[in-house]
Amino acid sequence: GKVIVSGDSAGGHLALELARRSVATASSPIVGSVAICPWLDLTLSSHAWRENWLWDLLSKRWVRSGAQAWVSKRVASGVAPGEAMVASSPALLQEKDLASLLPDSVMMVAGQQDRLRDDAIAFAAKAPKGSVTLHMVDDGIMGTHDAMIFSSTEKIDMAFEEVALFCKRRFSGRSSSDQGTVCHLPSACKV
């Protein structure tokens, strides 16, 4: 059978990592990955962390402690903490490195007011053309980190309808370029 791996926040990072590891396996059943509000920059250095502090309740101290735990094995093996953070951040990878890490197709949903917004934008901008579909939800407070998981508005519903369409097309064997979906990047987004 075919599998699409999915995750939210750090789980979005894990879903992409699982899909990446399966790419090397020719018989992998993974045909795509869905990441909702993905956490892809463990350095917490993006503009959205400063811009969305008033909107988003995601705590920088809490997320930083999670990042330190995430890279603890690399640090224990002698890698400098800063280097380990960058190496563990898909949003910070170079385009040439990112191309070899992706499954055939990735769908991302992020909120305009999410403190992790720029993680998804940077990842999508560096990915090979046609491999990542990014849907930005610009819905005020409903566009904050994980608010989309617990709420239903017209804009949020539209984003998840796109996720459903993405999954349907991936299960039917159609490629990312067949999707017909577009990257919804408001002009306020900075890559």
Side-chain angles (χ1 to χ4, degrees):
K2 296 178 180 178
V3 175
I4 292 176
V5 291
S6 179
D8 170 60
S9 193
H13 188 146
L14 292 173
L16 290 171
E17 179 65 17
L18 176 62
R20 179 194 71 80
R21 289 181 184 209
S22 77
V23 168
T25 307
S27 62
S28 172
I30 297 177
V31 295
S33 183
V34 175
I36 309 297
C37 303
W39 179 30
L40 303 174
D41 176 1
L42 276 62
T43 68
L44 314 181
S45 60
S46 76
H47 179 70
W49 275 101
R50 295 177 298 282
E51 180 184 320
N52 291 330
W53 70 271
L54 185 61
W55 288 93
D56 201 333
L57 299 177
L58 192 59
S59 160
K60 196 168 190 175
R61 183 175 8 150
W62 181 77
V63 175
R64 184 174 287 123
S65 69
Q68 290 167 345
W70 192 300
V71 300
S72 63
K73 281 188 179 180
R74 287 185 177 187
V75 172
S77 69
V79 177
E83 185 181 322
M85 291 285 185
V86 171
S88 299
S89 299
L92 301 180
L93 293 175
Q94 300 299 315
E95 290 178 36
K96 62 181 176 57
D97 298 324
L98 190 57
S100 66
L101 302 180
L102 288 174
D104 281 350
S105 198
V106 176
M107 174 74 186
M108 292 185 170
V109 177
Q112 182 64 25
Q113 288 75 28
D114 186 350
R115 293 183 98 177
L116 300 180
R117 172 199 69 207
D118 294 347
D119 295 18
I121 293 170
F123 185 88
K126 292 178 184 178
K129 186 175 179 165
S131 64
V132 176
T133 299
L134 172 60
H135 185 103
M136 294 297 298
V137 176
D138 190 1
D139 204 5
I141 195 70
M142 292 298 118
T144 58
H145 188 69
D146 282 350
M148 294 175 282
I149 300 295
F150 305 108
S151 306
S152 178
T153 69
E154 185 177 332
K155 292 178 180 180
I156 292 169
D157 292 348
M158 184 173 45
F160 284 103
E161 286 172 13
E162 282 194 37
V163 170
L165 181 60
F166 167 87
C167 293
K168 181 178 178 181
R169 290 186 174 177
R170 293 308 300 152
F171 285 135
S172 71
R174 288 160 66 192
S175 72
S176 181
S177 60
D178 293 335
Q179 290 180 2
T181 55
V182 296
C183 186
H184 302 278
L185 291 176
S187 58
C189 291
K190 293 176 178 59
V191 177

